């Protein structure tokens, strides 16, 4: 089978399994988020935590619960890393330095999973399992909880309650993430991923060199790493590492896992708002953008591999694994940057300028196609609010989305949301480029070097976590600046989303008439796609022009 | 309102105003002179304290100051050209607002002239029926709420109020522009008078209902001048979006400098400012307030005064229209539609008898019978003299009949036409007996929504003895105004439900509702029913608009989201509503809705246009900035612009000129054709979205062809 056929088959198979998952998983999550019944184990947990599982919260309370939980998580994770040498299963690792510990804590709590360290030489098994893996679950659940609150804003009326954060968090972890992650951890083990408690093992290679190999509970972490769109690898090489991602089969499973929740959430949305067509419209926009991105990256990578320069380099796939080839690498790269995963099975720094540029643009879109668990859906819903506002004016009515009017208050929160991430990216990258010391961290000169810096801040502020590589980010400045970018890029938008949810929930819905802008038709799908691409494109065009475009256009 | 079986004397009602022309484009084309005369006002608005209220244009003004300083410090042709065009951009924005306001000012001037210092004749301790009261002369500005003043023929009414005594004809042309005088009388729904209007005949006593300085005319002046203008909810929401886009673009450009320095292409202040101005949504930012003012102005030109911009916007959102049947859906009065003779009577004979008996009936119903007989049976209305000895019996509310007593060949022929019960009674009194078929005929007409009038004849022979018989029945029907069904269909396509309100019984109401094509009706409606209906609709999230004139309409007018009071109505109604229609034409409600929608569409369309423009500007400016260091970026110069400086200049010139070019559109409003939301959106996306994307490519290229010849620009 040639590469092209295999590549196409892989894409078709992926779309097939995702389509099969859309309805059952989406509807299941809707049930989880709306059911009035608690499981026994949940009731025990609520009693332990002193939570009334039947009481809904107003949005500020929901937000406070979320922030308090996240702050505690950051502190716990920071402490765990700093003290790991005194604890169990350290497998000889030293205490993590303050800069890295802060950066890593911020990174895993924000679902970014940016790693300025090498997992196998920094983190012991306890930190990996009790710290990082736990955050892989709960940070993903936090994202879904926020979008659940937003959807309730659309469905509820005359109320100031948007749900109960603790209930949402517990249910998503226990009923959604744990079972799926458990099953797929076994699948990955079956596929050849490592799952043990070994320490560092020294091995002699055929050539007589010594190599240190670290074992560990890899497969179990790998499953939630992808499922929760986390992306923080057990090993530095992430999903390019054969212990994490041994072969084409596990590669396929990992791509499926990192997409499946975000792809199914529009169904959850459609089901919860009582109009499944709304969900289809959203998934259509996500699908269009995803498909276009896959096409751009695949074409560019194929072109560069088959170019004269590529052949001169011995037909080498620099930065790509021979196991996966161009097609799987491009598919993985698109999916990981369009979700907030950031796991990589190839190195984006070595992509062609335009292919690598596309991975940056994917993240700049706000990771909404399909996006991170929860964050992708609330991100695209906010953009839908903006699109509905402009389009709604054009049909001569006060704009309304799903029956809720978009007035000054709603537009304030939506505007602040779309303002936050670009501000963090541009200011962060601007500062890094203005400070001579930080600029020196670039591996390459010229536009490619700039792309490395731009990529880092785009990845951090959008909570992606993938790295272009090439940039030396393990400095105090980068650890701190990127850590802050992750925290601001994660929690400030959540504040605005929850505030919007509160403001929507209070409203009396307006009945739909022929004069109402329909938001389920192809017309709206096209409009929303155009709004997303144009608004994001306009924001970042100058920066992209000086990076990937300057490098890629000849 | 007519009832089923009695013919009541019609209310003294003025002629219905003629149907306004459909989709009359108000404001017309922009007069270039208007631009020139508005220039000083536009320049005055450059004051930063004024500009800061418009965040987008304030950024442009600050940018203009920066480039001016830069141009002074390091002069170059390029810097000065950009500086000049940036200032022009700000000026053009102010110009659009000044032109919009200027139109209102002229109107306000005319109004102000009527508000002369009237002297009021105040009556102390007026009570109903009291004669010989002490009069004192006070300036109109000294009148208080509840004062009573007397106004006689030739005098100006000193303030808004209600007539409490007397009847007078009043010239209201000062506010309505209508020269025909109107009758104002105490009690009832025609008691309100407006300060500044002139009494033409008789004497009235008016109770003042407004404080000085807050009269209707004062409010009108404030409204048309735009002084009372407050930002509307949608305008605020849009402003928030525009401000945040402005911040995003500011950030994008400010952070571009470190990137540019790294690339070895540090940019001058002039170029950075130019880039910011090109990107931020200046087109919509410049025209936003003009669009709002012009929207109010379009209403004023249709003789509708909206008390707030909020009301105009709400009009666009209306989902339910409550329309009074009489005057709105049907012509004010019922009209004869057919003659139905009893067996054995020729229809021509019935028509003749009906016409003769209606000659003395001056009510509109009576006249319509005469007209129908003439039109359908060629019977000319005969004057009194032609009939020989004829004695006319005029219509009275007591007899509920009209008719004529004719003396022909020594015989007396008595004809009567009127309410069925009255005429049948009359026949019986003359010894006749209506045939059995008359009853069912009357009932059939009543149940179809018409009013049956019975025509009876008594022939008294010379020898005495009389034959009395019923000749037939006239069907008086409500006549639905021409074109109403089409309008309701249009409204339905716009997603607006129409509900007809009538005092008729459900059967009659249904018949008319079906004929007119309204979606629903409320029969035998009392003010309480109306109120309950509005509340019910609102509870379902709907926005309700209605018209009203009577005092008992006031609570419903206040409750409705858009309440249009008729100018002929009581002051209570005018206070309660949020719009007043000076023409008192209830059908105008539909136009008000359209104007509200047009206002929002204009804003949305220009916002889309403004944002779409940015794409072309990037393709002009980015290669101009960086093609020097990264030659690959030359490929982005798809317009093939002459040089970096000419490219940037062209983008800025385009950006400024497009504002001027769109001022007429902003004032007139975009073309609006009632249709479904999906169709409207498609059209506007193609025109303003795609147009906004492509037009600047052409525009900038054309400007570049000229600009490149400016000496020293390179």
């Amino acid at each position: 089978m040639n590469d092209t056929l295999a590549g196409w088959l892989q894409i078709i198979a992926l779309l097939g399994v995702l389509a099969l998952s859309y309805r059952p998983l989406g509807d299941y999550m809707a049930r989880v988020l709306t059911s009035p019944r608690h499981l026994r184990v949940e009731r025990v947990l609520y009693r332990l935590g002193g939570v009334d599982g039947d009481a809904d919260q107003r949005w500020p309370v929901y937000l406070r619960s979320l922030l308090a939980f996240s702050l505690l998580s950051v502190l716990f994770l920071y402490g765990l890393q700093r003290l790991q040498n005194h604890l169990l299963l350290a497998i000889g690792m030293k205490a993590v330095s303050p800069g890295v510990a802060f950066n890593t804590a911020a990174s895993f709590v924000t679902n970014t999973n940016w790693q300025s360290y090498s997992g196998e030489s920094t983190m012991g098994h306890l930190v990996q399992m009790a710290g990082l893996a736990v955050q892989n679950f709960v940070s993903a659940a936090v994202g879904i909880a926020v979008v659940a609150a937003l959807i309730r804003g659309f469905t509820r009326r005359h109320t100031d309650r948007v749900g109960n954060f603790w209930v949402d968090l517990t249910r998503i972890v226990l009923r959604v993430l744990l079972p799926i992650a458990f099953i797929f951890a076994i699948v990955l083990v079956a596929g050849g991923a490592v799952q043990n408690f070994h320490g560092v093992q020294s091995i002699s290679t055929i050539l007589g060199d010594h190599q240190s190999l670290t074992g560990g509970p890899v497969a179990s972490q790998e499953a939630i790493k992808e499922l929760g769109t986390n992306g923080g690898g057990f090993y530095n090489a992430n999903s390019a590492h054969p212990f994490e991602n041994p072969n084409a089969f596990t590669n396929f499973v990992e791509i499926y896992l990192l997409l499946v929740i975000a792809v199914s959430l529009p169904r959850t949305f459609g089901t919860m708002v009582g109009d499944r067509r709304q969900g289809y419209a959203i998934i259509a926009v996500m699908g269009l953008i995803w498909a276009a991105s896959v096409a751009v990256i695949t074409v560019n990578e194929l072109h560069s591999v088959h170019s004269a320069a590529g052949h001169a380099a011995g037909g080498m796939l620099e930065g790509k694994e021979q196991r996966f080839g161009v097609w799987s690498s491009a598919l993985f790269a698109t999916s990981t940057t369009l979700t907030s995963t950031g796991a990589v099975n190839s190195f984006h720094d070595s992509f062609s300028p335009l292919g690598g540029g596309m991975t940056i643009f994917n993240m700049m879109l706000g990771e909404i196609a399909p996006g991170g668990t929860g964050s992708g859906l609330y991100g695209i819903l906010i953009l839908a609010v903006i699109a509905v506002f402009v389009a709604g004016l054009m049909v001569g009515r006060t704009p309304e989305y799903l029956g809720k009017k978009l007035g000054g208050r709603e537009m304030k929160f939506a505007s602040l949301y779309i303002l936050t991430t670009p501000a963090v990216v541009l200011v962060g990258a601007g500062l890094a480029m203005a400070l001579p010391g930080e600029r020196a961290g670039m591996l390459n000169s010229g536009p490619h070097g700039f792309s490395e810096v731009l990529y880092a801040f785009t990845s951090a502020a959008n909570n992606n976590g993938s790295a272009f590589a090439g940039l030396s980010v393990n400095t105090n400045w980068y650890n701190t600046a990127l850590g802050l970018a992750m925290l601001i890029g994660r929690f400030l938008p959540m504040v605005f989303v929850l505030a919007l949810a509160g403001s929507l929930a209070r409203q009396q819905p307006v009945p739909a008439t022929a004069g109402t802008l329909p938001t389920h038709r192809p017309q709206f799908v096209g409009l929303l796609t155009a709004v997303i691409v144009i608004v994001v494109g306009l924001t970042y065009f100058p920066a992209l022009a000086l990076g990937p475009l300057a490098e890629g256009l000849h | 309102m007519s009832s089923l079986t009695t013919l009541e004397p019609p209310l003294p009602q003025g002629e219905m105003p003629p149907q306004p022309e459909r989709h009359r484009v108000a404001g017309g084309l922009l007069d270039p002179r208007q631009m020139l005369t508005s220039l000083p006002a536009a320049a005055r608005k450059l004051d930063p304290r004024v500009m800061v209220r418009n965040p987008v244009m304030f950024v442009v003004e600050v940018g203009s100051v920066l480039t001016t300083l830069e141009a002074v410090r390091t002069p170059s042709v390029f810097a000065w050209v950009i500086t000049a065009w940036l200032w022009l951009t700000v000026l053009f924005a102010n110009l659009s607002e000044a032109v919009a306001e200027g139109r209102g000012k002229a109107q306000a001037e005319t109004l102000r002239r009527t508000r002369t210092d009237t002297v009021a004749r105040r009556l102390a301790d007026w009570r109903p029926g009291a004669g010989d009261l002490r009069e004192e002369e006070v300036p109109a500005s000294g009148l208080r709420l509840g004062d009573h003043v007397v106004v006689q023929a030739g005098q100006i009414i000193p303030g808004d109020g209600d007539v409490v005594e007397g009847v007078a004809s009043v010239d209201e042309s000062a506010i309505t522009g209508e020269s025909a005088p109107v009758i104002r009388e105490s009690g009832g729904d025609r008691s309100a008078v407006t300060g500044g209007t002139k009494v033409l005949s008789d004497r009235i006593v008016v109770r003042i209902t407004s404080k000085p300085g807050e009269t209707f005319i004062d409010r009108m002046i404030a409204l048309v001048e735009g002084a009372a203008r407050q930002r509307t909810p949608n305008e605020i929401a849009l402003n928030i979006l525009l401000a945040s886009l402005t911040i995003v673009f500011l950030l994008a450009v400010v952070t571009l400098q470190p990137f540019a320095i790294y690339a070895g292409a540090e940019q001058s202040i002039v170029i950075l400012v130019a880039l910011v101005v090109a990107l931020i949504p200046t087109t919509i930012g410049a025209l936003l307030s003009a669009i709002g003012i012009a929207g109010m102005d379009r209403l004023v030109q249709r003789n509708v005064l909206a008390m707030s911009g909020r009301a105009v916007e709400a009009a666009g959102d209306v989902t339910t229209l409550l329309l009074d049947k009489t005057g709105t859906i049907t012509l004010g009065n019922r009209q004869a539609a057919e003659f139905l003779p009893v067996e054995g009577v020729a229809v021509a004979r019935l028509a003749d008898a009906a016409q003769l008996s209606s000659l003395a009936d001056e009510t509109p119903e009576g006249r319509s019978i005469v007209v129908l007989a003439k039109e359908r049976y060629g019977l000319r209305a005969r004057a009194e003299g032609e009939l020989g000895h004829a004695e006319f019996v005029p219509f009275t509310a007591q007899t509920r009949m009209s008719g004529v007593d004719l003396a022909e060949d020594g015989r007396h022929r008595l004809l009567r036409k009127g309410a069925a019960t009255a005429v049948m009674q009359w026949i019986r009194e003359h010894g006749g007996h209506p045939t059995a078929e008359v009853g069912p005929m009357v009932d059939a007409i009543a149940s179809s929504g018409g009013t049956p009038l019975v025509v009876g004849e008594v022939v008294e022979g010379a020898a005495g003895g009389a034959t009395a018989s019923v000749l037939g029945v006239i069907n008086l029907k409500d006549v639905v105004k021409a074109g109403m069904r089409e309008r309701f269909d249009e409204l339905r396509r716009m997603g607006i439900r129409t509900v007809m309100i009538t005092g008729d019984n459900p059967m009659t109401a249904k018949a008319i509702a079906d004929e007119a094509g309204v979606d629903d009706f409320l029969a035998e409606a009392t003010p309480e029913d109306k109120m309950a209906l509005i509340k019910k609709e609102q509870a379902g999230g709907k926005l309700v608009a209605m018209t009203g004139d009577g005092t008992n309409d006031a609570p419903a007018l206040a409750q409705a989201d858009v309440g249009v009071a008729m100018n002929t109505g009581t002051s209570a109604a005018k206070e309660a509503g949020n719009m007043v229609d000076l023409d008192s034409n209830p059908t105008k409600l539909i136009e008000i809705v359209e104007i509200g929608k047009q206002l929002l569409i204009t804003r949305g369309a220009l916002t889309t246009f403004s944002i779409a423009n940015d794409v072309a500007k990037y393709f002009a400016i980015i290669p101009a900035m960086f093609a020097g260091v990264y030659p690959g970026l030359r490929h982005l110069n798809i317009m093939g612009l002459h040089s970096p400086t000419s490219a940037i200049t062209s983008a800025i010139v385009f950006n400024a000129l497009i504002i001027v070019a769109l001022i007429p559109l902003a004032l007139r409003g975009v073309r609006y054709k009632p249709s479904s939301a999906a169709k409207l959106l498609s059209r506007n996306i193609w025109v303003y979205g795609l147009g906004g994307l492509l037009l600047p490519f052409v525009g900038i290229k054309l400007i570049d062809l000229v600009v490149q010849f400016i000496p020293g620009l390179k």
Side-chain angles (χ1 to χ4, degrees), chain A residues 394 398 446 514-515 517 523 538 554, chain B residues 234 262 317 618 635 677-678 682 684:
Chain A
M394 280 198 287
T398 294
L517 171 78
Q523 180 191 48
L538 291 177
H554 297 292
Chain B
N234 274 315
Y262 166 75
D317 288 347
Y618 263 138
H635 293 292
S682 286
N684 289 324

Side-chain angles (χ1 to χ4, degrees), chain A residues 50-262:
Chain A
V51 173
D52 179 0
D54 294 314
D56 275 359
Q57 299 169 317
R58 289 183 300 118
W59 79 262
V61 181
Y62 198 101
L63 175 68
R64 272 205 299 279
S65 308
L66 184 157
L67 292 179
F69 176 76
S70 301
L71 179 67
L72 277 178
S73 299
V74 170
L75 293 176
F76 174 76
L77 205 48
Y78 181 82
L80 200 62
Q81 293 174 78
R82 299 284 292 136
L83 299 174
Q84 73 161 337
N85 50 339
H86 303 296
L87 302 171
L88 299 170
L89 289 171
I91 56 168
M93 302 293 175
K94 293 193 292 291
V96 182
S97 73
V100 172
F102 162 71
N103 185 280
T104 306
S107 167
F108 277 75
V109 172
T110 57
N111 197 249
T112 312
N113 309 58
W114 171 269
Q115 293 166 299
S116 64
Y117 60 91
S118 296
E120 59 268 47
S121 60
T122 316
M123 303 297 174
H125 291 342
L126 186 71
V127 174
Q128 293 272 26
M129 290 194 303
L132 306 184
V134 168
Q135 281 309 317
N136 277 354
F137 280 96
V138 292
S139 70
V142 165
I144 301 177
V146 170
V147 82
L150 178 61
I151 298 172
R152 291 186 193 116
F154 282 111
T155 57
R156 293 186 178 182
R157 56 177 70 180
H158 296 310
T159 177
D160 52 359
R161 311 280 151 157
V162 295
N164 185 315
F165 172 72
W166 306 108
V167 172
D168 288 341
L169 178 73
T170 313
R171 286 187 179 182
I172 295 158
V173 171
L174 290 184
R175 301 196 201 176
V176 181
L177 298 176
L178 268 176
I180 302 178
F182 181 78
I183 294 166
F184 279 94
I186 294 170
V187 172
L188 287 173
V189 171
V194 174
Q195 181 77 7
N196 57 43
F197 283 98
H198 295 165
V200 183
Q201 291 178 313
S202 218
I203 288 167
S204 302
T205 64
I206 304 165
L207 296 176
D209 292 336
H210 282 284
Q211 201 177 355
S212 296
L213 294 178
T214 312
V218 177
S220 57
Q221 196 166 328
E222 195 67 16
I224 189 62
K225 171 188 116 181
E226 311 295 2
L227 181 67
T229 61
N230 293 286
F234 197 93
Y235 299 104
N236 189 32
N238 210 304
S239 289
H241 196 292
F243 287 2
E244 286 195 17
N245 189 6
N247 51 44
F249 169 70
T250 54
N251 191 58
F252 181 84
V253 171
E254 290 187 11
I255 298 177
Y256 166 74
L257 279 180
L258 67 87
L259 290 170
V260 69
I261 287 189

Side-chain angles (χ1 to χ4, degrees), chain A residues 158 386 389-399 405-409 411-412 415-416 418-419 422-423 425-427 429-431 433-434 439 442 444-450 454 508-511 513-518 521 523 527 534-535 537-543 545-547 549-550 553-554, chain B residues 233-234 236-238 240-241 244-245 247-249 251-252 255-256 258-263 275 279 313 316-319 492-496 538-543 596-597 600-605 607-608 611 614-615 618-619 622 626 630 632-633 635-636 676-682 684-685 688 693:
Chain A
H158 296 310
I386 304 276
F389 180 76
V390 176
L393 286 181
M394 280 198 287
V395 303
R397 283 267 289 261
T398 294
K405 288 204 165 165
L406 306 176
R409 206 178 143 73
M411 286 317 290
K412 184 170 75 189
S415 296
L416 284 170
I418 57 162
L419 190 56
V425 172
L426 292 169
V427 170
L431 280 176
M433 297 309 290
R439 225 158 48 200
M442 295 182 287
N444 297 81
S445 60
H448 199 77
F450 171 63
L454 184 64
Q508 156 82 36
V510 182
T513 67
T516 310
L517 171 78
R521 296 203 185 154
Q523 180 191 48
L527 178 79
I534 289 178
V535 168
L538 291 177
T539 309
Y540 292 108
F541 190 80
L546 291 181
L549 288 179
L553 296 173
H554 297 292
Chain B
N234 274 315
I236 292 169
L238 182 54
I240 290 170
L241 180 65
S244 78
L245 285 175
I247 297 171
V248 167
F249 288 129
L251 277 172
T255 56
L256 184 59
F259 306 163
I261 293 171
Y262 166 75
L275 181 58
L279 293 180
E313 258 178 22
D317 288 347
V318 161
T319 44
R492 204 167 297 119
R493 281 198 293 278
M494 289 153 68
I496 297 173
Q538 287 173 336
K542 292 181 175 153
L543 263 71
K597 285 195 179 293
L600 294 186
I601 295 176
T602 308
R603 282 197 198 124
T607 303
T608 310
I611 296 171
D614 281 3
V615 175
Y618 263 138
F619 279 96
I622 292 292
F626 298 115
Y630 296 134
L633 293 179
H635 293 292
L636 296 179
S676 74
K679 272 192 205 144
L680 264 180
L681 182 62
S682 286
N684 289 324
I685 287 178
Y688 297 97
L693 208 59

Side-chain angles (χ1 to χ4, degrees), chain B residues 99-260:
Chain B
V99 169
E101 285 172 350
R103 301 181 151 206
K105 282 222 171 67
Q107 199 148 5
E109 234 11 81
T110 339
L111 286 172
R112 220 176 248 123
R113 245 176 273 137
T114 67
R115 201 184 48 174
T116 42
D117 287 326
T118 320
V119 174
R121 294 160 59 197
R122 184 162 65 187
L123 298 173
D125 308 320
W126 180 91
R127 317 174 290 288
D132 263 356
L133 285 168
R134 193 166 51 82
E135 247 184 63
E136 54 179 346
E137 297 215 331
V138 292
S141 56
L143 288 174
R144 293 286 163 268
L145 272 176
D147 279 354
H148 290 89
V149 294
V150 61
V151 193
Q152 276 179 320
Q155 292 177 337
I156 303 276
I157 299 173
D160 296 356
D162 287 325
V163 178
V164 289
E165 191 182 296
V167 185
S169 60
V170 179
D171 172 11
E172 293 195 336
S173 60
I175 51 168
T176 61
E178 179 60 51
S179 55
V182 291
I183 302 294
R184 292 286 177 259
E185 58 186 339
S186 62
D189 289 346
R190 256 152 257 279
S191 61
V193 289
T194 310
T197 56
K198 193 175 179 184
V199 173
L200 294 178
S201 69
D202 305 290
R203 170 188 181 274
I204 47 174
V205 175
V206 175
R207 186 176 57 234
I208 298 297
T209 55
S210 67
K211 290 184 199 151
E214 290 176 23
T215 62
F216 192 64
I217 289 211
D218 290 319
R219 271 191 294 170
M220 247 179 108
I221 291 172
L223 279 169
V224 296
E225 275 193 328
R229 211 178 93 77
Q230 283 178 322
R231 288 217 176 123
T232 56
N234 274 315
E235 206 177 343
I236 292 169
L238 182 54
N239 249 312
I240 290 170
L241 180 65
L242 295 181
S244 78
L245 285 175
T246 305
I247 297 171
V248 167
F249 288 129
L250 262 177
L251 277 172
V253 175
V254 169
T255 56
L256 184 59
Q257 184 72 322
F259 306 163

